[in-house]
Structures are given as C-alpha cells and as structure tokens.
Amino acid sequence: MPIIDQSTADQLKAYLANLRRPIRLVATLDDSAKSAEMKELVETIAPMSDLVEADFNGTSKRVPSFLISADDGKSEVEFAGLPLGHEFSSLILGLLHVGGHPPKEEEELLDSVASLKGEYHFETFFSLSCQNCPDVIQALNIMAARNPNVSHVAIDGALFQDEVEERKVMAVPTVFLNGEPFGSGRMNLAEIMAKVDTGSAEKAASKLSAKDPYDVLVVGGGPAGAAAAIYTARKGIRTAIIAEQFGGQLMDTMGIENFISVPYTEGPKLTAELQRHVNEYDLEVFSQQRVADLARPASDGDLFSLTTESGGSLKAKSVILATGARWKTIGVPGEAEYRNKGVAYCPHCDGPLYKGKRVAVIGGGNSGVEAAIDLAGIVSHVTLIEFDSAMRADAVLQKKLQSLPNVTAIVSAQTTEISGDGEKVTGLRYKDRNSGEEHDVALEGAFVQIGLMPNSEWLGDVVKRSPYGEIEIDHRCETSVPGIFAAGDVTTVPYKQIVISMGEGSKAALSAFDYLIRADG
C-alpha cells in the first residue's frame, strides 16, 4: 500500500505547481521500517515537480528525519518523523513556504518575522493525533521560511520516546527555543511573535484603539460568535469579531458526528470552514486579543467600551458576548503544579505520549468514558475515577468500556490529590465516598474530563450571571443590560452543542439588529 493514496498524491502535485524556487528534500535515514516509509514519502514527492530534488545523504542527529531546504540554503524546516495524519497539511505548507509561495498571513506580521534579529532555533514535539500541533508547527515553519536566523524542527514524540523522557515532555505541542522551554499548547504566528518580539503587543493595541466605533462588536470566535458576526454583517451593519483565538473550544474537538447534514467532520476542519465563511463578508476579525473589561455607556448616546489585556480599546453601539467555555479543573493539590507534566485535558493530543504507561481519567460522563476507551488502546492501564455513585455516560459507551481488559472503573470516588516527584506525575489519591477510606493509585498521567466552565469571569458584575458563572439570557439572547446580548456555551442555554451555539449566535445577531434599528429610530 503506497504511503499516500493516488487522490492525495494528485492534490499534492497540484499544490507543488505553486513553487517559486527550487527546494531540496534532504533525508537522514537508517535501515528501520520508519526510515523506509520516509524514503518512500520523499521519493513520492520529488518527481511531482521539476523544482524538487531528493537527497538521501542527510546528517541530522535525529533518524529518521528530512529537511526541506531552499536552494540558497537560507530557508529550511525539518521533520523528525513522518508528517502524515493531522500534520500532512504542515508538510504541504512547509514545501510551499520554503519554496517561496507566500503564507496567508498579514504582510505586517510577516515583515515583523523577517526583521527578527538574533538566532532562534525552535523544536516542537508533536503527536500525529494532536489537532493543535499543526497550528504551532505551521507558524514556526513560516518563521523559518521567512527568516534565515530562524530554524525549526518538528519532532514526533511517539517516535522519539527517549528524547521525550529526557526532556520531560508530558504534553503536545511543546516548544523549545534555543534548548529552553518556550511554551506548550495551541499557539499561532501572532502569539509566538508576541513572545519573541516585545514590541508587537503595543503595536496591536495601538491599531485597535485607532478603529472607528462599530455597530456590533462580537466577543468570541467560536461557532456562536462566527454565526452572530455573519448574520449582522449580512444586515449591512458595521461588525467586528474580537477573540483570543478563532474557533475557540471547537479547535479541541476531535470527531463531530452530530452536526446536522454533515455526517462527520473534525473541529479544526469546521473551524477553517467557519473562517472562510466569515471572510466572505465585510467585517473585521481581531484575533490573539484577550478581553479584560467591558464598560457600559455612562449616559444615553454613549457607546460600550471594550478593553484588551494589551491595552487596546474598541467601542460599539451593541455587544454580543460569545466567549464560550473551557475545561473544568478539579482544584486539588498537584493539579496546577503538574499541568503538562502528567496532568492533561486532551486525550487525543497527549495520549500517544503515554504509550505503555498507566493513566487515570477523572470523570465518568461521555467525555470521560470516551477518553478512557481511546487511551485503553495506547496505554498499559486506565483507571477511571467517577465522583458519583454511577457513571453518567451513554449506555453504549459504558458497555464498550466494560469490555476492555485494561480499564478499571471506580465510582463514588473523590479525587483528593495528584502527586509527583517534582518533575512529573507519579500517582493519584482518591477517597471512597462510602467508607471514607483513602486509596493511592500509582500512575504516570491523569486526564481531567469533568466538563466545561464558562469564560465569563472578566465580566464581573457588568451583566447578571448564574451561580455557575453563566450569563443569564432570555429567549431573545438579551442579557440584563440593554444592548448587550450573549450566545453559546457561556450562557444559561442548556445543551452545549455546536449546532445550538450557531443557532443562538444567529438569534443574538437578529436581536442586536432589532435593538439597533429601534435605538436609531
């Protein structure tokens, strides 16, 4: 069976027609099976374009690996491992960007990348099942392609387990800069540049503050925020989205099988479709902006004022809050200390790093049981800890879980501590809620899967919120403050689903439009 199927090969060949300069694929191989696969991949790609040359005399310290190098030697990226699965798009874009095809990023941001001084050697540990890794790898590859002072190697953690252990990598993506920890989790080009170029945040804040007031300002770029912005833009009113990252929680969602009319998709793919749809309209999107404050108008005729953590500000006649939710934490000793050092929240992303190890899943709802089922195929043993007296997952999931020989489910169990040796997780303690007896479980990882909490703390008492922090809304998505609307997982609307969030975002937009035409009248 070929390393990539014919349809994929045809698409790749079409992409390579966009190359603007010669590139070389320099592979470092041995006699292993993975090296044979990499050799096949390189030999498959090279004949697709006269501008691609294959070289099997590489001298990289990681085997197998291959460089994508420009003919002038001033632009190169490296893959230590096979960039397939979620990383195949990173391979395609790496080929194109080293080959001179311009990235789809703002020119001002790309100019900032090109003007970076100093030496920047980035290393990213990824897993092929991680949905967040491609964003980071592609951003760093752009930097390496645009600036000869920047280099980047993407390392498959499952393939280089010894290095993962040595460098204490417990989550993906994890990035090192010049040998020192730089960051972990999802990051895009603007966020990375904000960390290495200290002046970029001030520039972004100044750019925001210079904007004229908007009719509608949508806070949040997930399904609810995107739907709201599309609906208001279609009404012809001046609209902007401001978000920490477009897509929100959707970017952490693996398989989606209940989005009506689409039998199956994945979070990042649906996010890209939302982004394309939003880009069809005359509206502005400000990403990489964390909102810090929302001020109500001081008097009639004044505007709402929104301030970001970077110091920028925007004004608007109305606001739609769609800031979504995030993973809940259990709040026990050791959880914060060992986050990304054995405490994880995404089994799809980080599961491969725990191959052959013992892990726990905390939570017996659908997400917890699904995580335990997925991890059981990778790790040596899974201990599922459920606080309630019975698991709450769907019966079909529980039946599957019970059929797995390397899973132990414990109910009526309260997690009280996650322990470690100062560098990584070594165990978990729970209390039997019936007897009060405490038990210790030796393990290397703990995946927390106990649901979501709304991203609403920053609002304070600006609008009325429930005891759980959700923004209280009525059937029109109106909040306690006229002119402020809310939609999606951050609100009191039950059933946190993508399709519901989109509907609520659309409803909030229509309500905002109605508010504006009546206010103007």
Side-chain angles (χ1 to χ4, degrees):
M1 185 175 179
I3 193 77
I4 54 176
D5 60 42
Q6 188 59 50
S7 175
T8 303
D10 291 342
Q11 291 177 351
L12 179 55
K13 185 175 182 178
Y15 282 125
L16 293 180
N18 294 303
L19 292 175
R20 299 186 178 184
R21 63 184 181 187
I23 59 174
R24 295 170 64 232
L25 307 183
V26 185
T28 303
L29 308 174
D30 57 18
D31 58 359
S32 67
K34 283 296 180 182
S35 284
E37 290 180 355
M38 184 169 287
K39 186 172 188 292
E40 181 185 350
L41 179 63
V42 171
E43 289 178 334
T44 300
I45 296 172
M48 292 181 176
S49 169
D50 293 339
L51 295 178
V52 180
E53 176 187 350
D55 181 343
F56 297 101
N57 297 305
T59 58
S60 173
K61 69 177 183 179
R62 297 182 183 91
V63 184
S65 65
F66 71 96
L67 282 169
I68 305 173
S69 178
D71 59 338
D72 58 6
K74 294 181 179 181
S75 175
E76 63 181 33
V77 301
E78 181 179 355
F79 289 96
L82 284 167
L84 301 176
H86 287 298
E87 291 303 334
F88 191 66
S89 59
S90 299
L91 169 61
I92 295 172
L93 292 174
L95 293 166
L96 293 178
H97 295 155
V98 174
H101 187 70
K104 292 182 178 179
E105 296 282 354
E106 291 185 8
E107 202 60 41
E108 183 180 348
L109 180 58
L110 294 174
D111 289 343
S112 297
V113 170
S115 63
L116 275 177
K117 304 299 182 184
E119 295 294 324
Y120 300 87
H121 175 54
F122 289 98
E123 299 166 290
T124 303
F125 286 86
F126 71 92
S127 73
L128 292 175
S129 58
C130 172
Q131 300 177 87
N132 295 326
C133 294
D135 286 349
V136 178
I137 290 172
Q138 290 164 25
L140 291 170
N141 282 351
I142 288 173
M143 293 178 68
R146 302 286 289 198
N147 190 323
N149 299 320
V150 180
S151 63
H152 178 230
V153 54
I155 307 161
D156 184 352
L159 189 58
F160 294 90
Q161 282 280 343
D162 290 346
E163 190 170 357
V164 165
E165 295 285 345
E166 179 187 346
R167 303 179 75 170
K168 301 177 178 63
V169 176
M170 303 296 290
V172 290
T174 290
V175 181
F176 291 83
L177 171 57
N178 298 335
E180 297 296 325
F182 176 78
S184 62
R186 188 171 60 214
M187 293 180 284
N188 57 29
L189 182 58
E191 291 171 314
I192 293 168
M193 283 298 296
K195 294 186 72 171
V196 299
D197 180 9
T198 54
S200 61
E202 289 77 7
K203 295 174 188 175
S206 177
K207 186 177 178 180
L208 276 183
S209 301
K211 295 291 181 180
D212 292 332
Y214 294 90
D215 294 316
V216 176
L217 186 58
V218 180
V219 186
I230 288 169
Y231 262 70
T232 56
R234 285 175 61 85
K235 292 292 186 181
I237 54 181
R238 182 170 160 78
T239 301
I241 296 175
I242 184 165
E244 198 167 348
Q245 175 127 355
F246 195 88
Q249 189 72 18
L250 190 59
M251 290 295 290
D252 296 324
T253 305
M254 189 62 173
I256 301 170
E257 299 177 322
N258 59 357
F259 188 62
I260 310 306
S261 83
V262 180
Y264 180 83
T265 187
E266 295 180 352
K269 182 178 179 180
L270 184 54
T271 297
E273 295 294 335
L274 283 176
Q275 182 83 70
R276 276 192 285 270
H277 198 174
V278 164
N279 289 343
E280 290 183 3
Y281 295 94
D282 184 20
L283 57 88
E284 292 184 272
V285 179
F286 305 110
S287 57
Q288 297 84 55
Q289 295 294 330
R290 189 179 180 89
V291 179
D293 183 61
L294 173 61
R296 289 178 274 187
S299 59
D300 290 344
D302 286 349
L303 301 169
F304 291 99
S305 179
L306 185 146
T307 305
T308 67
E309 286 189 352
S310 63
S313 64
L314 292 170
K315 295 186 181 299
K317 296 178 182 178
S318 65
V319 176
I320 297 175
L321 301 172
T323 47
R326 64 187 184 277
W327 293 115
K328 282 183 181 177
T329 58
I330 49 179
V332 301
E335 180 181 18
E337 293 87 339
Y338 291 102
R339 182 165 186 159
N340 294 330
K341 297 178 181 178
V343 175
Y345 299 85
C346 181
H348 302 297
C349 298
D350 298 332
L353 297 177
Y354 296 83
K355 183 178 181 180
K357 297 181 179 180
R358 301 162 297 177
V359 303
V361 172
I362 303 169
N366 280 349
S367 60
V369 172
E370 287 174 349
I373 292 169
D374 288 345
L375 289 166
I378 301 170
V379 305
S380 64
H381 189 270
V382 180
T383 302
L384 187 144
I385 308 289
E386 166 56 34
F387 181 86
D388 208 345
S389 59
M391 288 186 290
R392 294 163 286 109
D394 294 342
V396 64
L397 293 175
Q398 293 193 45
K399 184 177 180 181
K400 173 64 176 176
L401 186 76
Q402 292 162 3
S403 72
L404 301 174
N406 62 335
V407 176
T408 301
I410 304 172
V411 297
S412 297
Q414 179 182 357
T415 303
T416 58
E417 182 182 357
I418 295 172
S419 55
D421 61 7
E423 295 182 344
K424 61 183 183 299
V425 167
T426 59
L428 173 148
R429 175 170 292 182
Y430 72 89
K431 181 174 71 174
D432 186 317
R433 295 179 57 239
N434 295 320
S435 68
E437 185 178 356
E438 292 198 335
H439 302 269
D440 290 311
V441 181
L443 43 77
E444 289 76 40
F447 289 82
V448 180
Q449 299 282 288
I450 58 173
L452 303 171
M453 64 184 301
N455 294 318
S456 65
E457 300 94 326
W458 62 278
L459 285 165
D461 60 358
V462 173
V463 295
K464 190 173 181 181
R465 295 185 293 151
S466 75
Y468 300 102
E470 297 170 320
I471 300 172
E472 295 190 356
I473 59 171
D474 63 12
H475 65 286
R476 295 173 58 88
C477 295
E478 296 171 336
T479 70
S480 57
V481 177
I484 300 181
F485 305 85
D489 288 1
V490 74
T491 73
T492 49
V493 166
Y495 312 122
K496 313 303 187 186
Q497 299 288 306
I498 296 168
V499 69
I500 292 174
S501 290
M502 287 183 173
E504 290 294 302
S506 305
K507 189 198 300 183
L510 294 173
S511 293
F513 176 69
D514 185 65
Y515 166 82
L516 288 169
I517 59 175
R518 293 175 187 276
D520 290 342

